[in-house]
Amino acid sequence: DVQVLVIPSSPCLGVATREALERAAARGQGVIATAAAGLYDGGCSYVGYGLIVALTGAARADTLESRAMAYVTIPGGSPLGTDLPPATRIEVDPGAHIALRRPGRDAFYSGYDMDPAPASRRPLLDGAIVHGPYGRGRAVFWGFELDDVVDRAWNRDVLALLVRNSVAWAAGHPLATVEAWPRGQAAAAVLAQDVESEFTNARYALDSLRAAGVPATYFLTSRLALKHRRLTRALAAHGEVGTHTDRHQLLGGAPRDSQAEWLRRTQQELTRVLGRPVAGLRPPEEQFDTATLAEWIRAGGSYVFGANNSRVAAPELLRIGADTVLLLARATDDDVIAVHSVASDPVRELTERYLADFARIRALGGLYLLSYHSQLLARPELVPALARLARAVAADRNVWRATAGEVATWWRARANLRVAAWREPAGEIMVSVHNVGSTAVEGAVLRVVLGPGERVARVELRQLPAADGIARLVLPTFGPGEARSFSIAPARTEAQAPREAA
């Protein structure tokens, strides 16, 4: 009568265990297996990847070659990645991890930059976590052991959600979350400039981005903004202005009282020019510490654009004392690295590089953040590369083009929507949504993971196109404190019969 049978760290499996797996599949139970499960028989003689292929439906399985460090990336929209931000990456110690060639993988082996890194460079042989039907039941396979995940707070938190989701899906329990971006957009893009040296070059970028119809964020050194008030106001009118400190001084590691004075002063200077405080801080050289975050909140700010070790291409809401601050971080190289790596044709090479970076983050469903500088990419001879990227972003109607501040505001509002899902005894799926925040939330889309082969037969909400086993439902505007429940009547898709157990 168990719901899920778990087989961890078991390369040698005898006949009794294999028969137990077959019985679980026949009874409609869930199975979770990890790494080299069943590569050997009960006497530890090698028998191959047959069990793993039967569990997963993979076209091929192989052992990952030796690497200094293995990375696993979870793309946005992955059923087993429910409640994880899109484009989340964790670190896994080297080992004999198993890679699968299978469409629809929930996580894949990647490089540090989240590019797929298949086993032995064989195309598409990169699946790290997959789920699917197994007989009348459900199977989840992890190609690595939980103990191999590097013991860091970020990795542990991600691992906990992946385990929760794997068990819930294998047990047939529905999963529900609010999608990462408003109105069902597949990804988001922010173009952000540090306006410092050669301050007036910002005009060239402004003209190019305005012509492309793409909003932008400009982080200004406020002492220079005081000297160029007309341009500063024009930048604010086009998109958003944040601060890059008053004199481009390094923040992280400096005494707390010094940081407090610098941040208070830059906020005052920009408020004097714009008539209102700014929300965003871009620490020079991306150096900040907890004192920076706390003092920026005290100065009236709400988000910081800094480094996060490229662990996720999405915002992070960080707890600072009794308050919170939003961290935005890039998962691609900025123009300091890119400009100095080009050769004979800088505009073409930069354009190709930025378009490839955008395509990679877009495919992961994440937030593409271009970080560039007034003295580099905004120079008149290089700004055509920025313009070409902006036009490509504008042409993609499934990407939310926003300022950093708009993304920060949305992510806070999204975090206030608390979602729970459960299945009633008769099979109906119930989802509750509660806005625990003090502001209304509009544009949210609910993503519900159904059972394998299930589709929505009836629901009161408008549906968006979705893959098999997924429901995407447009939520109405939720006022402060509002809570509502919705019911989903599922039906089985006859065209997707259960895969037979081996």
Side-chain angles (χ1 to χ4, degrees), residues 57-290:
R60 181 168 183 171
D62 205 348
T63 301
L64 213 61
E65 74 281 3
S66 178
R67 298 178 178 181
M69 177 65 74
Y71 298 96
V72 172
T73 295
I74 303 100
S78 160
L80 301 188
T82 297
D83 285 342
L84 284 172
T88 292
R89 192 201 68 208
I90 58 175
E91 301 150 315
V92 181
D93 286 327
H97 311 312
I98 304 300
L100 305 178
R101 180 178 293 160
R102 183 180 180 278
R105 70 247 199 280
D106 292 89
F108 60 90
Y109 296 107
S110 73
Y112 179 88
D113 61 359
M114 301 186 192
D115 255 346
S120 303
R121 299 184 179 180
R122 296 186 179 95
L124 306 179
L125 190 58
D126 60 9
I129 303 177
V130 302
H131 76 282
Y134 179 56
R136 295 179 56 242
R138 298 155 300 278
V140 175
F141 177 76
W142 290 47
F144 55 96
E145 303 293 358
L146 275 65
D147 285 347
D148 289 332
V149 176
V150 175
D151 189 17
R152 292 178 180 163
W154 170 263
N155 293 335
R156 290 195 299 269
D157 290 345
V158 171
L159 199 63
L161 282 171
L162 285 171
V163 169
R164 182 204 70 176
N165 296 340
S166 296
V167 174
W169 192 88
H173 296 299
L175 295 161
T177 191
V178 175
E179 291 193 352
W181 311 117
R183 298 178 297 280
Q185 298 285 61
V190 170
L191 308 183
Q193 180 182 168
D194 292 350
V195 190
E196 43 187 60
S197 178
E198 301 179 40
F199 191 97
T200 56
N201 282 348
R203 168 64 67 181
Y204 302 118
L206 170 63
D207 292 342
S208 297
L209 297 175
R210 190 159 49 193
V214 176
T217 298
Y218 303 89
F219 295 103
L220 313 183
T221 46
S222 54
R223 288 288 174 89
L224 292 175
L226 289 171
K227 297 179 180 179
H228 302 278
R229 297 187 180 218
R230 180 176 296 178
L231 178 54
T232 296
R233 294 187 183 110
L235 297 174
H238 168 244
E240 176 200 16
V241 161
T243 182
H244 199 39
T245 71
D246 60 331
R247 292 175 289 108
H248 200 269
Q249 59 269 61
L250 297 183
L251 295 169
R256 181 163 183 159
D257 57 349
S258 297
Q259 294 195 54
E261 172 58 27
W262 298 336
L263 294 174
R264 184 166 54 249
R265 184 165 59 219
T266 191
Q267 182 70 280
Q268 290 170 348
E269 289 173 347
L270 288 173
T271 300
R272 197 182 314 159
V273 178
L274 301 173
R276 61 185 182 278
V278 299
L281 164 67
R282 171 77 164 146
E285 298 185 17
E286 299 184 326
Q287 293 189 25
F288 65 94
D289 53 23
T290 53

Side-chain angles (χ1 to χ4, degrees), residues 294-371:
E295 293 305 328
W296 181 234
I297 293 172
R298 290 185 61 188
S302 61
Y303 78 88
V304 172
F305 180 4
N308 71 348
N309 193 34
S310 298
R311 64 192 182 190
V312 62
E316 298 179 63
L317 193 59
L318 307 179
R319 174 68 61 180
I320 304 295
D323 214 327
T324 57
V325 66
L326 203 84
L327 174 64
L328 302 177
R330 58 182 175 82
T332 59
D333 291 336
D334 66 3
D335 61 343
V336 173
I337 296 174
V339 169
H340 290 96
S341 65
V342 298
S344 58
D345 192 346
V347 169
R348 180 184 59 79
E349 293 175 39
L350 287 171
T351 300
E352 291 176 352
R353 179 170 186 158
Y354 289 136
L355 289 176
D357 286 344
F358 170 62
R360 172 161 47 88
I361 301 301
R362 196 256 190 245
L364 294 171
L367 170 62
Y368 172 71
L369 276 167
L370 173 68
S371 173

Side-chain angles (χ1 to χ4, degrees), residues 9-99:
S9 307
S10 303
C12 299
L13 293 183
V15 173
T17 306
R18 294 173 188 267
E19 289 178 346
L21 278 171
E22 294 176 7
R23 289 195 298 271
R27 286 193 295 262
Q29 294 168 324
V31 173
I32 299 177
T34 65
L39 258 65
Y40 304 86
D41 64 16
C44 287
S45 296
Y46 182 76
V47 294
Y49 297 98
L51 176 64
I52 293 174
V53 169
L55 282 171
T56 63
R60 181 168 183 171
D62 205 348
T63 301
L64 213 61
E65 74 281 3
S66 178
R67 298 178 178 181
M69 177 65 74
Y71 298 96
V72 172
T73 295
I74 303 100
S78 160
L80 301 188
T82 297
D83 285 342
L84 284 172
T88 292
R89 192 201 68 208
I90 58 175
E91 301 150 315
V92 181
D93 286 327
H97 311 312
I98 304 300

